[in-house]
Amino acid sequence: MTSILAYTFKNLPSTSKWALTFCVRPLSCSSQLRASAAVQTKSKKTLAKPNLRNIVVVDGVRIPFLLSGTSYKDLMPHDLARAALLGLLHRTNVPKEVVDYITFGTVIQEVKTSNVAREAALGAGFSDKTPAHTVTMACISSNQAMTTAVGLIASGQFDVVVAGGVELMSDVPIRHSRKMRKMMLDLNKAKTLGQRLSLLSKFRLNFLSPELPAVAEFSTSETMGHSADRLAAAFAVSRQEQDEYALRSHSMAKKAQDEGLLSDIVPFKVPGRDTVSKDNGIRPSSMEQMAKLKPAFIKPYGTVTAANSSFLTDGASAMLIMSEDKALAMGYKPKAYLRDFVYVSQDPKDQLLLGPTYATPKVLEKAGLTMSDIDVFEFHEAFSGQILATFKAMDSDWFAQNYMGRKTKVGSPPLEKFNTWGGSLSLGHPFGATGCRLVITAANRLRKEGGQYALVAACAAGGQGHGMIVETYPK
Amino acid sequence: MVASRAIGSLSRFSAFRILRSRGYICRNFTGSSALLTRTHLNYGIKGDVAVVRFNSPNSKVNTLNKEIQSEFMEIMNEIWANDQIRSAVLISSKPGCFVAGADINMLAACKTSQEATRISQEAQRMFEKLETSTKPIVAAIHGSCLGGGLELAISCQYRIATKDRKTVLGVPEVLLGILPGAGGTQRLPRMLGIPAAFDVMLTGRNIRADRAKKMGLVDQLVEPLGPGVKPPEERTIEYLEEVAVTFAKGLADKKITPVRNKGLVEKLTSYAMSIPFVRQQVYKKVEEKVRKQTKGLYPAPLKIIDVIQTGLECMASAGTSVQSQKFGELAMTKESKALMGLYHGQVLCKKNKFGAPQKEVKQLAILGAGLMGAGIAQVSVDKGLKTLLKDVSLAGLGRGQQQVFKGLNDKVKKKAITSFERDSLFSNLTGQLDYQDFEKSDMVIEAVFEDLSIKHKVLKEVEAVIPDHCIFASNTSALPIKEIAAVSKRPEKVIGMHYFSPVDKMQLLEIITTEKTSQDTTASVVTVGLKQGKVLIVVKDGPGFYTTRCLAPMMSEVIRILQEGVDPKKLDSLTTGFGFPVGAATLADEVGVDVAQHVAEDLGKAFGERFGGGNVELLKQMVARGFLGRKSGKGFYIYQEGSKNKNLNSDMDSIFASLKLPAKPEVSSDEDIQYRVVTRFVNEAVMCLQEGILATPEEGDIGAVFGLGFPPCLGGPFRFVDLYGAQKVVDRLRKYEAVYGKQFTPCQLLLDHANSPSKKFYQ
């Protein structure tokens, strides 16, 4: 899971928003490469492969991502997923009966709706003949939903699949203790009054202490924020660099929001509340304000704070994925192709959040591309420190040789192509829903900026990671 | 309540613990180079913070010797004189070691107690200067911070330690028979409170960083880092330095205070300790407890109590002067010489003298999931060795697997590993009833029943399935390896590995080579044994090898003493009173009376009259009546599940009565009984060296102490002869020889030593 922070940006008094929008400071890690990219010709015209179906994204949407405990707090996860599905139906006008299959990603499951994909689909008015399943892979759950869809279509099983993701952090399943649960289950089975009384006599007050969902990596018992702080230290990423990057993310997101670039958002009329139409976590602050925050995990000298971490978020996203033939036959103008993808995993203790470092060279190699072929980078930002450490790792021959078994480094992405419409730090990070946001943002950015290839990458708990190439659909 | 806490904390104290070497050698560098060029230390300045780095050349560890001390003082004086510098950080450039303690060789070289006292006084003066420094000094600790190293750290104003497994703090002096001589006895009680200070100094135990933080021994922890653009440990040390520098600045700017907030219990404790009456009670209780446990055989713990008491009750200066005086006295005692000798021996026995094997053992197979087999499996999977455990029945296998799991789970309970690591380690174990995958094994250790025909059968079965390079090791306590190897197609691959029960607790591994065993086979087995964390002795094949052979005459004497009418309880108290951790009768029960009978008969046949004395009939009758010792619930004592008190087995009376021997009054005083037991042991050990079963006296001492519980305060049979005097040992033997005959005839090597007093096993 990403950082479960005790407090979020609410504590950051936001100063003049306008002034800050344009004063993004140059980052120390942002090296070069500005000039060369535009003139270069692509090493490959397209990534289409013979004898393989082309798979396209027709469109994708998300409901606004909100800080947990705000407007969505009284809803259930399937309500959010339903809103995203309805938004997708509205946006694409796809006839419900055409959808062959639905798959959703989620991380912290609401026990009542453990197959949240099915509950949401039924509630959104999809045919009860359309099957649905839910997948989980920590922060890359909806990436898994999308690639599942790709697999189903590529193998010729289906033509039209809806993939999405949802997370509601405003409510988490807090359980009775194991001892209490055991007693309650035994009580159920007890037949006589005597048996019941003897069971009850074993009750102790500490049975009542609740069991909170684990905020830590199961294998190492380390919280993610703690690991991120160590990662930042291992790569010697300073607090200042991290705060600067966080500020950049918020400023970029604010700019994109103001310019109306975040067109994947569909408004959501929350029952009993006003219609929500904007992300509410974007709060550009100032370096001075951010510097005042105390470290959130490694106290008192750590560098990861509430301001340079992604915050607890509620949200949902959904995407219509089809075979190219089907989309064209139905008269759609698709947005992008979904191309090669990889999943990677590594040491969950010391390299928990380095997934993108491993995924990037691997997926590029697979697709036969180089870093310079990529016009748009959309990376998941769990922590400023994590992103900057990832850059440093990608830019280190030593790391490539000693830990990745590669001869040379892949190089770090040029910052002017990187998350230019904000990222998880500013837009928010509903664990299960972020993957679809990354892909649809990448597709939208390619169209807007006229690029051809985008690289989407994300890290996830368990030391896992994902990378995917998105190719824009020719106009 | 406070007193009881203090006592409770002592429950872990055991007189019989020995300083476990961490595989270092403490070399002495005196006389290596000139004083002006700094060889051990260097320092740089970061802003207004001086960073002093310890890095002794050509050594894995930093130890405090005269040279390093003078260099250090020189640097500190420069720092104090330099107005640009406002604070300092002390750190080591060595991975895995801050300062491992005082140089043991420097102490061992002292001829008089005055000399040792002077060493202590010099260190005290140095650390006092640090303590009173007006410029704050931060100790940044990564790796072992022991003895003098910890005393150095606690004289600083602030301590930061990495929360790494390699980082351990402690004052293990007591385990070497001395006391923390550089201010530890004075500063620790003030820092930790009296009960905790007693605990730390009397047990000498290693304290992990997180525990040290809770106790108040360190002020901050730094998490170890993973890989970045440099190797993890290198960057971790760099990071530790960065953090320490910010804290040093903070201390100089008075933004950080070194005062720690105490918890409620701690506050109550320190309040209680401010009452003189309570303190007196604590001293009394602690002393009683120590006396009971050490039986007065170890002088160091009592002196430590004494010094702490003086420091707290009188002027601080009195404490320090008493400290250095007692330090000098202790350094000259036989006990400290014996314990330091054991430490050196242990370091020696943790080294691989046979070089790297041609093929690394990646998969180990163990036959027999009994107590031994499962124990061997546990220490193997624990170190990440892939292990097959084969038994003949599912029930037996299940018991063995459970034993391995329990061993690992106990480590989880002690927080040595996480439950996840346990699961991951346990996955190295494969339980099976057949020979599947044996063809991929590099080494097979058999731990089946001690019967030559069964061992032969197993050897043939195994040789049919294992690959050519695979080693066959037999875990036996007495069967000659030569005889086991007789049926082998490739005797050069057959070797003995004698583990001691319980395998996960007993440190010793006796490796037995036959004339045909190849050098590479030995190298491979030694490598595996070291990986399992064992202290190794490599001995030649022969009946009973070394350890069992020494034990047999001793047990024979024990039986005779019992036949002469000494009751087992009395005998136990006499042997523990001499320094054995377990009484002789209890030992027989623990080993198993049937096993003892087997060994006594086998070795009796091999060595004849010399191994006589007690009547094996006694053991036979016990076995016949089912008194097998602890495992059957009855032996010399009666064992009840869950009850710690054991009573004598009254059914033994009739057996004793039927085999009663008349006691010889001239050799039946308490002291004579003790020496009859010990001298037979010692004589046999020396004979093993004489015959070449043992290669060195060091191995003999380590084997006796770590495998058989020979009194550590005597340092092992060979050290005992050196310290007690060969002539005196011979005199004793002659005295008993006059009464009992041949069994006590001193061996030639012992006589040689007695005849020329300059001859010593340890020069």
Side-chain angles (χ1 to χ4, degrees):
Chain A
M1 284 357 54
T2 336
S3 66
I4 307 259
L5 289 171
Y7 52 108
T8 61
F9 267 56
K10 276 181 266 180
N11 302 11
L12 271 180
S14 58
T15 47
S16 165
K17 288 169 188 167
W18 279 111
L20 280 159
T21 311
F22 301 102
C23 71
V24 183
R25 294 203 197 167
L27 293 172
S28 53
C29 61
S30 86
S31 46
Q32 52 359 62
L33 284 176
R34 184 171 289 271
S36 60
V39 274
Q40 250 171 6
T41 47
K42 301 283 172 204
S43 55
K44 267 194 169 180
K45 284 227 167 73
T46 174
L47 294 177
K49 288 177 186 162
N51 309 323
L52 215 61
R53 302 177 91 185
N54 279 330
I55 293 156
V56 296
V57 177
V58 172
D59 210 343
V61 300
R62 63 182 177 97
I63 57 170
F65 288 177
L66 302 188
L67 298 161
S68 330
T70 57
S71 295
Y72 298 154
K73 70 175 179 189
D74 297 326
L75 302 179
M76 284 177 67
H78 73 283
D79 293 326
L80 304 191
R82 198 158 44 91
L85 282 174
L86 285 169
L88 185 71
L89 288 174
H90 184 72
R91 177 78 59 93
T92 60
N93 282 316
V94 66
K96 286 171 188 166
E97 61 280 5
V98 175
V99 177
D100 294 318
Y101 200 80
I102 298 170
T103 170
F104 257 67
T106 195
V107 177
I108 296 186
Q109 294 193 351
E110 162 63 54
V111 210
K112 286 182 195 160
T113 58
S114 61
N115 187 1
V116 68
R118 177 67 173 160
E119 312 308 336
L122 287 173
F126 279 87
S127 158
D128 58 4
K129 300 287 188 295
T130 305
H133 85 276
T134 303
V135 293
T136 189
M137 200 173 179
C139 304
I140 49 178
S141 294
S142 60
N143 306 70
Q144 185 54 257
M146 287 183 290
T147 55
T148 301
V150 169
L152 289 170
I153 298 170
S155 65
Q157 309 305 313
F158 298 126
D159 285 315
V160 182
V161 178
V162 169
V166 60
E167 205 68 49
L168 182 80
M169 296 298 297
S170 294
D171 184 30
V172 291
I174 296 170
R175 299 197 290 181
H176 268 303
S177 68
R178 181 84 187 242
K179 285 178 191 151
M180 187 69 186
R181 276 161 22 221
K182 187 163 181 288
M183 172 177 259
M184 289 157 91
L185 290 171
D186 287 347
L187 267 178
N188 252 347
K189 290 181 199 143
K191 296 217 166 53
T192 65
L193 184 66
Q195 281 174 345
R196 286 197 192 103
L197 285 177
S198 92
L199 267 173
L200 282 174
S201 71
K202 287 179 197 143
F203 175 80
R204 298 286 173 277
L205 214 55
N206 69 3
F207 285 18
L208 290 178
S209 66
E211 208 176 272
L212 298 168
V215 295
E217 195 71 11
F218 181 76
S219 59
T220 61
S221 309
E222 187 182 24
T223 60
M224 194 174 270
H226 198 276
S227 189
D229 206 319
R230 286 196 308 114
L231 183 72
F235 283 94
V237 178
S238 70
R239 166 80 182 266
Q240 165 131 359
E241 285 173 287
Q242 293 181 42
D243 285 354
E244 277 169 357
Y245 184 84
L247 184 56
R248 171 194 191 263
S249 182
H250 280 273
S251 311
M252 293 279 192
K254 178 74 184 153
K255 183 161 172 280
Q257 190 178 52
D258 292 343
E259 290 175 4
L261 297 173
L262 304 178
S263 59
D264 53 338
I265 294 179
V266 289
F268 178 19
K269 167 70 182 80
V270 181
R273 289 172 189 263
D274 290 339
T275 299
V276 182
S277 56
K278 278 197 332 189
D279 301 325
N280 71 356
I282 306 171
R283 293 163 177 230
S285 173
S286 70
M287 287 299 290
E288 293 69 36
Q289 289 294 338
M290 290 168 93
K292 282 183 190 161
L293 284 185
K294 286 191 176 145
F297 300 98
I298 297 187
K299 295 162 188 170
Y301 56 85
T303 51
V304 172
T305 67
N308 59 35
S309 316
S310 56
F311 48 87
L312 298 184
T313 315
D314 302 336
S317 53
M319 181 185 275
L320 183 59
I321 302 174
M322 290 192 192
S323 64
E324 186 180 21
D325 309 340
K326 181 77 177 179
L328 295 177
M330 289 181 71
Y332 282 116
K333 175 82 181 152
K335 283 202 155 164
Y337 293 109
L338 297 182
R339 297 301 195 188
D340 294 281
F341 61 85
V342 295
Y343 287 95
V344 294
S345 60
Q346 61 282 335
D347 171 21
K349 170 87 184 160
D350 290 330
Q351 303 184 31
L352 182 68
L353 304 170
L354 283 181
T357 309
Y358 285 84
T360 300
K362 215 170 160 186
V363 75
L364 285 176
E365 225 156 65
K366 204 169 173 193
L369 298 177
T370 63
M371 281 296 264
S372 56
D373 290 327
I374 305 296
D375 305 298
V376 162
F377 290 88
E378 268 303 318
F379 277 36
H380 162 52
E381 299 167 343
F383 301 88
S384 279
Q386 166 257 329
I387 282 287
L388 297 172
T390 298
F391 287 173
K392 293 198 178 188
M394 289 166 84
D395 208 23
S396 160
D397 279 327
W398 187 87
F399 189 84
Q401 284 153 8
N402 289 284
Y403 285 90
M404 294 167 66
R406 309 184 67 85
K407 289 203 183 74
T408 51
K409 63 185 183 184
V410 63
S412 68
L415 218 53
E416 67 276 8
K417 294 181 182 176
F418 190 87
N419 291 9
T420 51
W421 292 1
S424 299
L425 285 172
S426 43
L427 302 171
H429 173 38
F431 306 147
T434 291
C436 285
R437 175 188 69 76
L438 292 173
V439 169
I440 201 65
T441 306
N444 287 341
R445 276 180 59 198
L446 282 173
R447 288 168 73 82
K448 174 88 183 161
E449 295 161 11
Q452 188 182 3
Y453 296 123
L455 171 62
V456 171
C459 57
Q464 313 209 78
H466 170 71
M468 180 155 69
I469 303 287
V470 176
E471 183 182 344
T472 197
Y473 200 82
K475 281 180 182 164
Chain B
M1 169 215 139
V2 178
S4 74
R5 269 196 67 207
I7 306 305
S9 70
L10 280 178
S11 59
R12 264 161 299 174
F13 174 74
S14 152
F16 306 109
R17 278 191 57 215
I18 299 147
L19 179 57
R20 288 195 171 200
S21 98
R22 292 165 58 83
Y24 302 139
I25 347 156
C26 301
R27 293 197 204 152
N28 199 346
F29 285 97
T30 34
S32 62
S33 60
L35 279 174
L36 280 174
T37 54
R38 291 190 182 124
T39 41
H40 300 274
L41 293 157
N42 61 64
Y43 85 107
I45 299 172
K46 283 189 168 179
D48 56 5
V49 184
V51 179
V52 184
R53 300 187 185 91
F54 288 77
N55 195 3
S56 288
N58 309 322
S59 169
K60 279 188 191 163
V61 295
N62 297 314
T63 51
L64 296 178
N65 55 29
K66 282 175 188 153
E67 201 177 324
I68 210 170
Q69 284 177 17
S70 71
E71 273 186 32
F72 179 64
M73 277 327 280
E74 219 176 271
I75 288 181
M76 287 315 294
N77 286 331
E78 272 178 41
I79 289 171
W80 283 317
N82 186 339
D83 290 339
Q84 308 297 313
I85 298 172
R86 298 183 58 222
S87 56
V89 168
L90 307 185
I91 194 166
S92 159
S93 305
K94 289 201 188 299
C97 177
F98 176 67
V99 175
D103 187 340
I104 295 182
N105 292 344
M106 173 173 78
L107 283 181
C110 291
K111 295 274 183 304
T112 62
S113 68
Q114 285 79 4
E115 225 177 299
T117 300
R118 225 168 11 250
I119 290 178
S120 155
Q121 281 166 342
E122 270 165 36
Q124 280 175 6
R125 268 198 295 277
M126 176 165 92
F127 292 163
E128 259 160 43
K129 276 184 122 177
L130 288 188
E131 192 179 32
T132 52
S133 165
T134 48
K135 297 181 178 175
I137 305 169
V138 178
I141 304 161
H142 174 69
S144 46
C145 173
L146 300 171
L150 183 64
E151 292 178 294
L152 166 70
I154 59 173
S155 350
C156 297
Q157 278 68 36
Y158 206 76
R159 282 149 298 281
I160 304 177
T162 56
K163 198 177 157 189
D164 193 288
R165 277 200 189 142
K166 286 184 189 157
T167 302
V168 284
L169 299 93
V171 272
E173 278 86 344
V174 70
L175 303 175
L176 294 172
I178 49 177
L179 55 77
T185 54
Q186 309 303 305
R187 289 190 187 96
L188 283 170
R190 273 182 271 144
M191 253 180 106
L192 308 179
I194 298 173
F198 269 130
D199 174 34
V200 169
M201 281 186 271
L202 292 178
T203 61
R205 66 195 168 92
N206 283 343
I207 302 160
R208 283 200 299 264
D210 45 352
R211 177 94 194 95
K213 169 83 163 50
K214 275 193 201 124
M215 291 171 78
L217 202 52
V218 300
D219 301 287
Q220 280 298 336
L221 293 181
V222 165
E223 295 284 335
L225 301 179
V229 291
K230 302 177 175 174
E233 193 158 20
E234 196 182 318
R235 175 63 194 146
T236 299
I237 294 174
E238 216 176 80
Y239 179 53
L240 172 66
E241 187 181 304
E242 287 166 16
V243 173
V245 166
T246 56
F247 275 94
K249 279 193 181 133
L251 284 164
D253 296 341
K254 305 239 174 338
K255 278 186 192 152
I256 301 166
T257 53
V259 184
R260 194 171 70 96
N261 291 326
K262 289 183 175 173
L264 182 65
V265 178
E266 233 176 309
K267 276 185 190 153
L268 282 176
T269 312
S270 64
Y271 170 72
M273 287 299 156
S274 65
I275 306 166
F277 174 74
V278 176
R279 281 204 304 273
Q280 294 307 330
Q281 292 305 307
V282 170
Y283 300 140
K284 223 171 87 186
K285 287 276 174 205
V286 173
E287 195 176 321
E288 264 172 34
K289 180 108 183 169
V290 167
R291 274 192 197 283
K292 200 170 154 217
Q293 290 206 337
T294 60
K295 311 214 185 294
L297 295 170
Y298 295 80
L302 294 173
K303 296 235 161 128
I304 289 175
I305 298 172
D306 210 18
V307 172
I308 294 178
Q309 192 172 354
T310 317
L312 288 169
E313 304 303 324
C314 314
M315 297 277 287
S317 57
T320 36
S321 75
V322 173
Q323 170 179 278
S324 50
Q325 183 206 330
K326 303 260 169 176
F327 178 83
E329 288 169 17
L330 283 174
M332 289 299 122
T333 56
K334 279 182 184 167
E335 289 80 3
S336 84
K337 296 240 185 292
L339 291 169
M340 283 187 200
L342 281 176
Y343 175 77
H344 279 295
Q346 203 185 6
V347 170
L348 223 61
C349 292
K350 284 216 161 194
K351 281 168 71 174
N352 185 352
K353 282 169 280 191
F354 296 84
Q358 283 165 15
K359 198 167 185 325
E360 191 197 345
V361 173
K362 294 213 171 111
Q363 181 170 297
L364 178 70
I366 296 166
L367 296 171
L371 215 56
M372 293 305 280
I376 300 168
Q378 187 196 325
V379 296
S380 307
V381 297
D382 195 16
K383 302 297 184 305
L385 202 57
K386 209 173 161 332
T387 306
L388 312 177
L389 184 62
K390 179 197 176 302
D391 203 276
V392 287
S393 74
L394 200 57
L397 180 63
R399 196 216 62 81
Q401 285 171 313
Q402 179 58 32
Q403 184 188 330
V404 178
F405 181 81
K406 187 178 175 293
L408 294 174
N409 200 37
D410 287 349
K411 284 190 154 187
V412 175
K413 284 186 191 150
K414 285 184 202 148
K415 295 200 174 148
I417 57 173
T418 66
S419 59
F420 186 80
E421 285 166 317
R422 172 200 65 202
D423 297 346
S424 157
L425 290 174
F426 193 58
S427 71
N428 287 320
L429 185 75
T430 312
Q432 57 193 58
L433 299 175
D434 52 18
Y435 284 108
Q436 195 192 332
D437 282 346
F438 269 56
E439 72 276 7
K440 284 180 233 147
S441 297
D442 305 302
M443 184 183 287
V444 175
I445 301 176
E446 65 79 13
V448 300
F449 191 69
E450 292 264 38
D451 180 292
L452 195 60
S453 60
I454 298 180
K455 302 245 180 206
H456 279 167
K457 180 172 159 278
V458 162
L459 174 66
K460 284 184 202 155
E461 271 180 27
V462 169
E463 281 195 347
V465 288
I466 53 176
D468 289 341
H469 73 272
C470 182
I471 289 162
F472 182 91
S474 183
N475 173 58
T476 172
S477 54
L479 293 176
I481 304 301
K482 201 162 48 203
E483 287 176 29
I484 295 175
V487 300
S488 168
K489 285 185 281 184
R490 2 164 260 172
E492 73 281 3
K493 295 280 181 198
V494 180
I495 196 168
M497 288 176 97
H498 179 198
Y499 288 89
F500 292 76
S501 184
V503 181
D504 59 325
K505 301 268 167 14
M506 297 292 280
Q507 279 194 77
L508 189 70
L509 169 61
E510 184 179 27
I511 291 170
I512 306 106
T513 60
T514 70
E515 279 163 10
K516 291 184 180 161
T517 307
S518 74
Q519 183 86 4
D520 187 56
T521 301
T522 313
S524 192
V525 166
V526 166
T527 311
V528 168
L530 290 175
K531 193 169 191 183
Q532 290 168 336
K534 297 289 166 200
V535 175
L536 307 180
I537 62 172
V538 180
V539 304
K540 287 234 176 78
D541 193 21
F545 326 127
Y546 167 64
T547 50
T548 311
R549 180 167 161 186
C550 290
L551 194 60
M554 173 176 144
M555 289 318 275
S556 172
E557 196 57 33
V558 163
I559 292 168
R560 169 152 59 195
I561 291 164
L562 291 168
Q563 282 178 284
E564 285 176 357
V566 176
D567 82 86
K569 260 196 178 156
K570 165 96 194 241
L571 179 62
D572 272 355
S573 90
L574 284 178
T575 37
T576 53
F578 200 75
F580 282 93
V582 178
T586 309
L587 183 66
D589 274 2
E590 295 287 340
V591 170
V593 177
D594 50 341
V595 177
Q597 183 210 336
H598 247 279
V599 170
E601 283 175 346
D602 285 355
L603 297 189
K605 264 182 238 155
F607 293 103
E609 201 187 335
R610 189 153 49 83
F611 276 42
N615 193 340
V616 186
E617 190 56 32
L618 181 103
L619 297 174
K620 271 191 192 157
Q621 286 193 24
M622 285 178 78
V623 173
R625 296 183 62 175
F627 301 154
L628 303 183
R630 180 182 282 279
K631 57 185 164 189
S632 70
K634 269 184 186 180
F636 291 108
Y637 294 94
I638 294 174
Y639 298 89
Q640 272 159 342
E641 197 69 42
S643 151
K644 281 210 164 168
N645 291 337
K646 49 186 187 186
N647 292 315
L648 280 176
N649 181 1
S650 54
D651 294 339
M652 285 296 296
D653 294 349
S654 61
I655 301 179
F656 285 138
S658 69
L659 294 167
K660 191 148 179 70
L661 291 174
K664 316 265 178 172
E666 66 272 32
V667 288
S668 294
S669 72
D670 285 358
E671 200 192 33
D672 279 324
I673 288 175
Q674 288 174 330
Y675 275 98
R676 275 163 60 189
V677 171
V678 173
T679 50
R680 278 191 79 174
F681 188 118
V682 171
N683 192 30
E684 199 59 39
V686 177
M687 198 175 277
C688 285
L689 184 65
Q690 180 185 310
E691 290 177 7
I693 296 278
L694 279 175
T696 60
E698 283 91 347
E699 285 178 297
D701 281 346
I702 292 297
V705 172
F706 288 84
L708 304 172
F710 192 89
C713 56
L714 305 179
F718 296 96
R719 178 76 62 180
F720 171 72
V721 172
D722 276 1
L723 292 175
Y724 185 77
Q727 187 58 54
K728 277 196 196 162
V729 177
V730 169
D731 290 346
R732 287 269 178 192
L733 282 164
R734 292 282 188 220
K735 174 177 170 190
Y736 306 135
E737 187 186 17
V739 180
Y740 292 111
K742 250 187 159 176
Q743 293 130 21
F744 285 97
T745 309
C747 69
Q748 190 54 48
L749 186 58
L750 199 54
L751 289 174
D752 291 349
H753 275 247
N755 291 336
S756 67
S758 63
K759 250 190 171 171
K760 297 266 181 203
F761 291 109
Y762 295 92
Q763 291 307 326

